Amino acid sequence: MLSHQLGELEHLRFLDLSFNDKIVRLPDSITMLRNLEVLDLFKCERFLELPKDLNKLENLSILNCGYCLALTHMPAGLGELTRLESLPCFVVGKDSSVLDHIGGLDELKNLNNLRGTLQIENLARLRVRGTTTALSPPLMAFIIGGGAHLKGKIHLQTLSLRWDDGRHGKGIREQIQFLKGSEEEDVHFDENLLESLRPHSGLNSFYVTGHKGRKLPSWICSLTQLVNLHLGWCNVQHDLHHLQGLPSL
């Protein structure tokens, strides 16, 4: 456990809690560490949530929540940490559209200094069915995804988009059942969401997992520096011959 007096270490710049298999939460006083630049929670497998006032850590440049298997969401206000250069994992919360303490994809909008790898998990949680607004689910998907403004993150080398949580392996039977259970509404929503999550053209590696759409996005051939393309547990039925236009693949 971490002491609530942690916040008194006002000059602390680096906090490494990686591989701690017991820590569940951080004390709220951590948001008093205004000079903190690195918060490493890598593989804290029972860690549930980040402090809701995380945006107070205005000098944070590295936030590593990779392999935090129990992490439920990212906090609202994360997008105010514009000095962030490393955010390997972004977890979409279940109720990001209705709960004001849970950050949605738009938290990524202004984080244009991100570099290296970004993995966005649980995109399936964004699926909209039978919406009561004037907007159709496909249009809603396009608006939701566009809020992340991935195209502006020109320093990213690897982008991984997962419709699942990326934490638990599935057997062959589960995989087949997953693809058979593709409702038409989910298919169109996923296609529009992926279309809206357009990255910059200099991306090196692109991973898509659990996408129920039947076609690849129209911008796929604009990724002229792409070396690695991985489609895992996807329902894509699109002819892939046009990928020959990617010279480095």
Side-chain angles (χ1 to χ4, degrees), residues 97-154:
S97 61
V98 294
L99 297 179
D100 57 9
H101 69 282
I102 295 180
L105 275 183
D106 56 347
E107 296 291 344
L108 292 168
K109 181 179 180 180
N110 296 319
L111 302 184
N112 291 330
N113 288 318
L114 293 181
R115 54 196 71 232
T117 297
L118 171 63
Q119 176 167 292
I120 304 178
E121 299 179 359
N122 284 324
L123 285 166
R125 289 177 173 174
L126 296 173
R127 288 183 184 134
V128 177
R129 295 195 182 112
T131 177
T132 56
T133 71
L135 303 177
S136 66
L139 183 56
M140 289 274 290
F142 202 81
I143 292 173
I144 291 169
H149 190 53
L150 295 184
K151 192 175 181 180
K153 289 148 188 55
I154 60 174

Side-chain angles (χ1 to χ4, degrees), residues 132-185:
T132 56
T133 71
L135 303 177
S136 66
L139 183 56
M140 289 274 290
F142 202 81
I143 292 173
I144 291 169
H149 190 53
L150 295 184
K151 192 175 181 180
K153 289 148 188 55
I154 60 174
H155 305 296
L156 281 182
Q157 295 179 322
T158 299
L159 177 64
S160 177
L161 301 176
R162 302 195 66 115
W163 268 252
D164 63 356
D165 60 14
R167 302 164 193 177
H168 305 290
K170 291 178 180 159
I172 265 304
R173 290 184 180 178
E174 289 175 285
Q175 181 180 345
I176 293 172
Q177 191 61 38
F178 169 82
L179 294 176
K180 283 184 176 179
S182 300
E183 297 182 20
E184 203 63 26
E185 206 168 3

Side-chain angles (χ1 to χ4, degrees), residues 5 13 17 33 48 69 74 76 93 116 155 186 199 235:
Q5 295 178 312
R13 296 181 182 273
L17 300 169
L33 302 178
L48 289 174
L69 305 186
M74 308 307 282
H155 305 296
D186 289 346
N235 206 22

Side-chain angles (χ1 to χ4, degrees), residues 61-80:
S61 62
I62 296 176
L63 174 58
N64 189 355
C65 295
Y67 289 91
C68 289
L69 305 186
L71 188 62
T72 57
H73 64 277
M74 308 307 282
L78 178 71
E80 298 175 30

Side-chain angles (χ1 to χ4, degrees), residues 86-103:
S86 180
L87 182 67
C89 178
F90 185 98
V91 179
V92 175
K94 274 187 178 179
D95 302 302
S96 57
S97 61
V98 294
L99 297 179
D100 57 9
H101 69 282
I102 295 180

